[in-house]
Amino acid sequence: MRRALAIGIAAVVVSLPACAPLPRRDPVPEAMTERAIIPGIPNCRLWLDRDIKPYTDMIVRRMAREREAAVQAGLRPDALPPIQFLAISGGGDDGAFAAGVLSGWTASGNRPEFTAVTGISAGALIAPFAYLGPKYDDVVRHVATSLRPGDVFHRRNIVSGLLGDGIAGSEPLRRLIEKYVTPELLEEIATEEAKGRALEIGTTDLDAGRQVIWDMGAIAASKAPGALELFRNIMIASTSIPGAVSPIMIDVEVDGRPYQEMHVDGGVITQLFTYPARALPDLEKAIGMKFSRDIHVYLMRNGRLEPEWAPTPRRTLGIGERAISALVQAEGVGDVHRVYRTALQDGVDFNLAYIGSDFRTAAHPMFDSAYMQALYDYGYRLAVSGAAWHKSPPDEPIPRR
């Protein structure tokens, strides 16, 4: 992912003086950003970088649905189980690691049912299937280990790429998603949404320069005519590296007037997410009592946590590519530490899986099948043995519980 992002940004820089922008519907004016809605599905997304009250309101509604589901199952509504929160990061072909961990976790017999699942970029492709449980492990394994570059992106010729909106198009990825993300899959997700379980995917609204968190369960449960297409588009947008791949244009409305948003890879802003740092105190204010349920957070970092050495050619694009790659790596590590600090603050059980320095491979092209299979097997072995999960990032203290 880091190499593709670097190439994409470099391509944009090179092409800036060369062409005029492609036509599009008017972007949402800055002051109206958070008022823009999806026609027919008005309450399906959040911006978490400012006011988080809509987020805490959503959590209160989900808890009410959990209690209702408990009553229907003959359980006590005041004795809900611990919250199991899974967050899957971006990482391109390194997503094979998360696929292996999920399958190995299933084989270990210790995999919980997740209360909430979030995904960014490669994690967005895995999240819906992780949310629905082990019966989809084979789908995740197949997608994560057998993809080729041509199965994901259609590379345009250099002229079309520089004069268009991306070096590649996402048509092959759309066909792949259409194969697995079906009306029946949305029905399954809607059923779980009704129980208070959450499925969220992050994209970047490039006009606003802000991350958007999409409530995929709400989309699935909406039964709106465009729900299936929107669901697929969000998964594609979350993987669409700006400059390297065409963005996804999403039609919205403000007070009945049509606009269009440009959405790209959620990793532009952050590479994984759980919940806002202030969410738990604000939730306790909203419900008028201390939140007493145990929370277990599991992060799957599809990448390493230490810098990766690489020889840098003394060429303009090579230098830029390497610098951006290091920047993206550092951002991803920072995201892990940010979530850890929030967990520490809230007394949350923190668990982190990442690609360790013991996984060594030779240089390889992107979406190399041998590399992805080896990484899948590595994640699987760690999860089966119970060695996948760390209680803190390296060099951070392990919290006392």
Side-chain angles (χ1 to χ4, degrees):
M1 175 194 168
R2 281 176 288 152
R3 184 169 184 272
L5 178 58
I7 292 171
I9 293 174
V12 170
V13 172
V14 169
S15 64
L16 279 177
C19 59
L22 297 175
R24 58 169 291 190
R25 183 175 288 172
D26 288 343
V28 179
E30 180 180 4
M32 299 180 180
T33 296
E34 295 185 28
R35 292 171 52 202
I37 65 169
I38 304 297
I41 320 176
N43 299 310
C44 64
R45 59 190 191 161
L46 297 167
W47 286 261
L48 300 184
D49 53 346
R50 296 180 189 173
D51 179 18
I52 67 164
K53 185 178 184 303
Y55 180 81
T56 54
D57 290 345
M58 179 182 68
I59 297 301
V60 170
R61 293 193 297 271
R62 284 178 179 165
M63 290 169 58
R65 290 200 296 274
E66 281 189 278
R67 288 191 292 269
E68 291 171 8
V71 169
Q72 292 174 4
L75 304 175
R76 288 172 50 196
D78 60 344
L80 296 175
I83 292 173
Q84 311 284 353
F85 201 125
L86 174 66
I88 311 173
S89 82
D93 52 7
D94 282 346
F97 173 72
V101 171
L102 281 169
S103 292
W105 205 355
T106 299
S108 75
N110 297 319
R111 176 174 166 179
E113 179 180 82
F114 304 115
T115 315
V117 178
T118 69
I120 291 275
S121 197
L125 300 181
I126 298 172
F129 305 105
Y131 175 80
L132 290 175
K135 66 181 178 180
Y136 283 99
D137 283 357
D138 285 345
V139 172
V140 175
R141 176 190 55 78
H142 173 73
V143 172
T145 62
S146 63
L147 290 180
R148 304 291 184 274
D151 297 328
V152 183
F153 306 122
H154 169 66
R155 189 174 181 86
R156 299 169 176 138
N157 66 59
I158 190 64
V159 174
S160 296
L162 292 178
L163 296 181
D165 58 3
I167 298 300
S170 54
E171 294 84 0
L173 179 59
R174 180 175 295 278
R175 289 193 291 271
L176 180 70
I177 288 175
E178 288 174 350
K179 177 179 178 181
Y180 293 109
V181 179
T182 62
E184 292 74 22
L185 187 100
L186 257 63
E187 287 286 348
E188 289 187 62
I189 291 172
T191 297
E192 299 307 312
E193 159 76 8
K195 301 174 185 176
R197 298 179 63 213
L199 172 63
E200 298 169 354
I201 286 176
T203 66
T204 299
D205 179 340
L206 208 52
D207 295 312
R210 299 171 65 185
Q211 190 169 75
V212 179
I213 305 303
W214 296 86
D215 186 342
M216 306 300 279
I219 294 170
S222 71
K223 312 297 184 184
L228 179 60
E229 181 181 8
L230 178 64
F231 195 104
R232 292 167 172 169
N233 278 342
I234 292 165
M235 292 179 67
I236 296 168
S238 191
T239 66
S240 296
I241 299 166
V245 184
S246 294
I248 296 297
M249 308 304 295
I250 295 181
D251 292 332
V252 298
E253 290 182 356
V254 178
D255 299 331
R257 178 176 173 180
Y259 294 95
Q260 197 171 56
E261 297 173 346
M262 181 183 292
H263 285 259
V264 298
D265 196 316
V268 170
I269 304 296
T270 183
Q271 293 177 36
L272 57 78
F273 68 98
T274 52
Y275 59 88
R278 342 187 272 288
L280 193 56
D282 284 14
L283 178 61
E284 290 179 341
K285 290 180 183 178
I287 62 178
M289 66 179 71
K290 184 173 177 57
F291 189 81
S292 58
R293 290 171 70 184
D294 287 340
I295 303 175
H296 303 274
V297 165
Y298 299 91
L299 302 188
M300 290 185 178
R301 158 75 176 161
N302 290 309
R304 303 175 189 270
L305 290 184
E306 69 277 356
E308 295 181 56
W309 186 92
T312 304
R314 191 176 177 182
R315 295 195 307 270
T316 300
L317 290 182
I319 293 168
E321 177 186 332
R322 176 60 180 155
I324 294 167
S325 176
L327 173 65
V328 173
Q329 163 74 5
E331 178 195 54
V333 173
D335 292 334
V336 169
H337 284 269
R338 171 180 50 79
V339 173
Y340 171 73
R341 291 294 177 179
T342 300
L344 209 60
Q345 159 196 292
D346 293 342
V348 167
D349 176 43
F350 177 90
N351 303 272
L352 169 66
Y354 60 91
I355 302 172
S357 57
D358 56 331
F359 180 73
R360 300 181 182 277
T361 59
H364 62 279
M366 189 176 294
F367 296 109
D368 177 75
S369 59
Y371 171 80
M372 292 188 294
Q373 186 63 57
L375 187 53
Y376 174 91
D377 293 341
Y378 169 77
Y380 184 94
R381 289 194 302 271
L382 286 179
V384 166
S385 69
W389 300 107
H390 304 264
K391 288 298 182 181
S392 69
D395 303 323
E396 290 273 16
I398 297 176
R400 295 178 180 178
R401 290 184 60 80

